[in-house]
Amino acid sequence: MVVPGVNRTDRLAAGGEVYDLRLYRPVGRSPAEIAFVLRLLREARPIPGIDAARPIRTVDGADRLQVPFGGVGRTAGLFEALERRPITKDPEDAALFGSALATLHRALDHLLRSRHRRPAFDEAP
């Protein structure tokens, strides 16, 4: 287990490769919302200095799957594993974490805005 809690993440290894399996909480986010986030993570351009784990599709091309866990069906996603270390209580770590989240959110917002504008550019005058 890498991250406990409502969105549990486990590290998996197979054939010399390492992956992270995220089990999303059973309530609170719809499958459509999870699919949207997975698509954004896959399509967001890399940002120098900030890496985000990219989702991996299943062999049949699905973004996510349903798995039983603790007697409940949970939506799961498989991701490339990134090198990481635990965040400490050091103020520098807190600042770095906050900065990384803000930069990632700005990149995702930019992607969303460009997607909403694209049809207008594609329309004939």
Side-chain angles (χ1 to χ4, degrees), residues 5-8 23-26 65-67 69 72-76:
V6 293
N7 290 321
R8 178 189 173 112
L23 297 175
Y24 291 91
R25 60 184 177 248
L65 56 132
Q66 288 294 119
V67 297
F69 182 79
V72 178
R74 305 265 298 258
T75 299

Side-chain angles (χ1 to χ4, degrees), residues 11-79:
R11 177 76 34 106
L12 308 172
E17 299 293 327
V18 181
Y19 306 96
D20 286 340
L21 179 69
R22 167 156 281 185
L23 297 175
Y24 291 91
R25 60 184 177 248
V27 294
R29 281 191 181 169
S30 71
E33 289 171 314
I34 294 169
F36 179 73
V37 170
L38 294 174
R39 191 180 85 228
L40 286 176
L41 286 171
R42 186 179 302 103
E43 294 180 15
R45 284 179 281 155
I47 302 166
I50 297 176
D51 205 357
R54 305 291 178 174
I56 301 169
R57 293 185 190 271
T58 65
V59 293
D60 61 352
D63 282 328
R64 63 203 183 289
L65 56 132
Q66 288 294 119
V67 297
F69 182 79
V72 178
R74 305 265 298 258
T75 299
L78 188 65
F79 294 83

Side-chain angles (χ1 to χ4, degrees), residues 2 17 24 41 45 61 73 81 83 96 99 101 105 110 117 122:
V2 178
E17 299 293 327
Y24 291 91
L41 286 171
R45 284 179 281 155
E83 293 292 324
L96 182 61
S99 174
L101 281 179
H105 285 159
H110 174 73
R117 281 190 254 131
D122 293 340

